[in-house]
Amino acid sequence: MMSKKRNIIALTIFLLVALATITANLWLPVSPAAIDANQRLLAPSGTHWFGTDDFGRDIFARVIVAARVSLAVGVIVAVVATVIGTLLGLVSGYFRKTDFILMRIVDGFLAFPALLLALALVAALGGSITNIVIALTIAFFPVMARVVRSAVLQIKNAQYIEAARTTGTNNVVIIFRYILPNVLSPIIVQSTFIFAKAILAEAALSFLGVGVNPSTPTWGNMLQESQIYITIAPWFSIFPGIAIVITVLSLNILGDGLRDAFDPHSVKKKRKRKPKQTAPAA
Amino acid sequence: MLEVNNLHVHLDTPAGLVKAVDGVSFRLEAGQTIGIVGESGSGKSVLAHSLTKLNPEPPATYPKGEILFEGENILTMDKKRLRNLRGKEIAMIFQDPMSSLNPVFRIGRQLMEAIQTHQKLPKKEARQKAIELLIDVGIPDPERRMQDYPHQFSGGMRQRVLIAIALAARPKLLIADEPTTALDVTIQAQIIELLKSIQKKYGTSIIMITHDLGVVANLADRILVMYAGKIVESGSTADIFYDTAMPYTWSLLRSIPRLDAGASERLLHIEGHPPNLIHPPKGCNFHPRCPFARDACLQTDPPLAERGTNHMAACILTKPEFDKEKRAVAERKGVLLS
Amino acid sequence: MTALLEIKDLHVHFPIKNGVLQKTTGHVKALNGIDLNVKKGEILGIVGESGCGKSTLARSIVGLQKPTSGDILFDGNTYTDASAKELYELRRNMQMVFQDPYTSLNPRMKVSESIAAPLKAYKKTKNLESRVKELMELVGLNPDDHYNRLPHEFSGGQRQRIGIARAIALEPQLIVCDEPVSALDVSVQAQVINLFQDLQKKLDLTYVFIAHDLSVINHIADRVAVMYLGKVMERSNRESFQTHAQHPYTNALLSAVPLPDPDKERARERIVLKGELPSPANPPSGCVFHTRCPKATEFCKTNIPVPEERGVPGQEVACFYPVGAEEKARITL
């Protein structure tokens, strides 16, 4: 019951963040880009809830708008990495002949730490949103491919797959109608985690100065800009930081919740069936 | 020796309350073998586990009834006495011998532990006793096999080891829950012979739980037939097989293929499948599947009633009525009468 | 009459791999020279204990398992080296019913889709819905109520009916049934066995029916093959299977089956086999049964018996010392 409540809170927070940023133009009282040299580095107050930054811009407005880039990068990376990773995982898990080659390539990517790989790629390609998405997709699809492959291997020899083969069903149909629907749950769980990781990674890249164009407000860019003022205007760093934390945390909780919901073992915990013996009498 | 009176066991599952055992009563005399026959979901396994209160609580609760073992009520016993009773006076063996053995300890150690739990014996004597037990249950080369781990034994041999462990404290009652279901038929025959010889040698009472009517035909003095948490017929083995008084038992006997039957014999088709105990049928639990069913079966849930000496059946048909109708049903269904 | 299915000296060996380098250190000889044939319209029962290779045989017949050597012919055509396309053509005429009704249906597919799968695979999609409904009716499911349901809403017996409907959808000539009733409740088994028998008559089917339960095989099969450690011990007609069994193993099996008849059960003499099933990775020399056989001699340790007629017509036994009529009389039921 406890975990159910936790999942609902996480989902609510995430949806609020998403809704706030999408509709920001409709309700934000101040433009996130409005510069006011007289209002630099003001502490949080009634007019500026989160204070102002070094150009006198409203941090609350910027944190809200910055979520657009962060969430967009997260969504696109999660979707693209999931599609590529899933296809690779399905093919590699189902066809033994391709398995070896595909998995060695995937292992090659996995050998690099994801963030370092993305950093190197962005450094080479240049920092734009498109390039960040490409870099993060390359960094995260191998994990998905691995997850899907192992899920496929687990059910590949299930009787209903063999039954499909003996009824003359071709491999494409088997993969997409028999295997994919039965490995969807780990895919959904994993894509939630990729979403969260991509948001973190985008922030990290921007913070390191190789991310999105510094003029675009993103949480990473804001942290980057704020670091020299951390002692005199800590709110400048704290609020974008909190935004990252609650977004990523709620996504991770959602991922965990989904995993529990899909996991047959957690069903067993609820004891749906008759209890079985656990120990001998002696 | 063992007396079960109006026992109810409920399982509280997320899907609803399951009346797994619903008012069961029976008696077991010393040295007797009782067979409890039923399909999956009939409550036979829950009943067996109740006898030493082994059902996990929750979900199990015991709202009504008593289990008297030599006059003591097991359901109200304190934990210490219960622990002492299990294994020492009542031992159990299960369907899956692997999950009942600890995979990381040698067989010898597990066996000696079982011996020393209930008897204060020095190691050397315990070891000697363990070897004797292994010889008793027919494990060749016991001294060497004591050094082996469970995975080095075959399924049949593991079941023998478990029987040895169960016998360690010379229990008065052995409860065997489908002990041969996972085994091949030739190994099953070995285990049945073993149980018989143990009974002869030590006079142990046995409760044999199974879905296989053949197994109890060989082994049991008395048989209880369970359906949907209730005993629907009980009697001597001969009563159950040759003087069947309950449509379920009769149908079951007609529906199993027999090795000694003629080629053209048709099997009795029992409609449907065993009921869901969360929403049991109205009236008699068996009526939706019963070839003898009539309107009255929907209204009343017939209690167990006398059909002969120590022979009870739960059916609204009296014995003469049932005998008369059997012929018509057999003809209609195209199966042999007996 | 010619055989619909012929199996000639079939071997299936699985490599045992060990160590970091996955070196092959031996072979599990699941099937070790099987000869069988199935005539059109008959039911061949295959019986044996776990580890005898009967499931591997089923998988080989439907082309899920490539044989190590030997030949399988359907209607006179071999398919042991068949391409995917040839197997596709073969399966139009050969389908399989699986053991476990709980895992043999795609849990995320509606019943109607599962039954329609073979029809779609062979592009027989004309009047698909009415054909599926017709099939459901044929196996005793309710076409209106059950059409759009998922497998988990059904009991074991009903699921096995779905599996059977799927197997007969293409009107195949041969159906391989691998332990199709062993996972079912006692009171449900008879329904499914009766269904198999009715369908065979109605649709003129041929079955290879595999089971570990001798009573089931005795009930349904026209001819019976008894397997032990990857070999056929005895082949017999249904009439003589039980009464004239000549192989010591067949007789041991028969005598081990508990009869639901206390008087007979307590009066009969039981052959209790000694010892355990040897490892199929290292089967005994000579006759594979000699380590457990009550009649084995030194001769059996070095010489391999082949199934041949030894006194009883239609009864082929792979044994040097078949059980004679006199001896048989004592152990018969």
Side-chain angles (χ1 to χ4, degrees), chain B residues 39-40 154 157 184-190 193 211-220 237 241-242 252-253 255-263 265-274 289, chain C residues 49-50 155 158 161 185-191 193-194 197-198 214-216 218-219 238 241-242 249 252-254 256-266 270 272-276 292 333:
Chain B
E39 300 176 77
S40 60
S154 69
M157 283 295 158
D184 275 319
V185 57
T186 54
I187 310 296
Q188 165 172 291
Q190 294 175 354
E193 291 304 314
H211 66 275
D212 188 335
L213 284 158
V215 169
V216 287
N218 183 313
L219 210 59
T237 304
F241 283 92
Y242 303 129
L252 211 54
L253 280 167
S255 75
I256 46 178
R258 293 174 60 146
L259 202 50
D260 53 343
E265 195 173 311
R266 179 98 177 146
L267 301 179
L268 177 72
H269 177 133
I270 308 179
E271 298 290 331
H273 46 89
R289 309 178 68 197
Chain C
E49 298 180 279
S50 51
S155 67
Q158 285 172 312
R161 287 169 193 273
D185 264 319
V186 191
S187 69
V188 179
Q189 255 191 27
Q191 298 173 7
I193 293 175
N194 285 350
Q197 288 183 317
D198 295 344
L214 277 86
S215 313
V216 170
N218 180 59
H219 179 82
R238 189 208 179 278
F241 163 60
Q242 187 249 103
Y249 179 61
L253 276 180
L254 286 166
V257 175
L259 297 174
D261 187 332
D263 290 349
K264 275 191 194 174
E265 178 66 21
R266 284 165 207 214
R270 182 155 273 156
V272 176
L273 285 184
K274 55 190 178 189
E276 303 268 323
R292 301 175 71 197
L333 319 166

Side-chain angles (χ1 to χ4, degrees), chain C residues 182-232:
Chain C
S182 65
L184 303 177
D185 264 319
V186 191
S187 69
V188 179
Q189 255 191 27
Q191 298 173 7
V192 177
I193 293 175
N194 285 350
L195 177 63
F196 271 115
Q197 288 183 317
D198 295 344
L199 288 175
Q200 194 231 357
K201 287 202 192 84
K202 216 180 276 180
L203 306 175
D204 193 21
L205 293 167
T206 307
Y207 294 146
V208 172
F209 200 99
I210 294 173
H212 70 274
D213 188 332
L214 277 86
S215 313
V216 170
I217 288 293
N218 180 59
H219 179 82
I220 199 166
D222 298 315
R223 287 195 304 132
V224 181
V226 177
M227 283 179 69
Y228 182 79
L229 268 188
K231 282 184 174 288
V232 174

Side-chain angles (χ1 to χ4, degrees), chain C residues 85-157:
Chain C
K85 192 159 174 284
E86 286 167 305
L87 276 180
Y88 174 81
E89 284 307 319
L90 175 81
R91 283 168 180 157
R92 196 189 288 272
N93 286 313
M94 186 196 290
Q95 288 287 308
M96 182 156 172
V97 174
F98 291 82
Q99 172 179 6
D100 187 347
Y102 293 90
T103 60
S104 61
L105 297 170
N106 185 346
R108 315 236 171 202
M109 242 185 194
K110 287 176 191 162
V111 168
S112 51
E113 290 177 274
S114 279
I115 298 175
L119 296 167
K120 283 186 189 155
Y122 287 88
K123 309 207 166 48
K124 294 187 172 177
T125 44
K126 234 170 87 187
N127 303 326
L128 189 66
E129 187 175 328
S130 64
R131 173 70 179 142
V132 169
K133 287 190 170 170
E134 187 190 339
L135 286 164
M136 289 176 76
E137 218 154 303
L138 208 51
V139 297
L141 292 166
N142 181 344
D144 303 311
D145 185 25
H146 296 157
Y147 194 80
N148 280 323
R149 302 240 207 145
L150 287 170
H152 71 87
E153 299 176 62
F154 291 89
S155 67

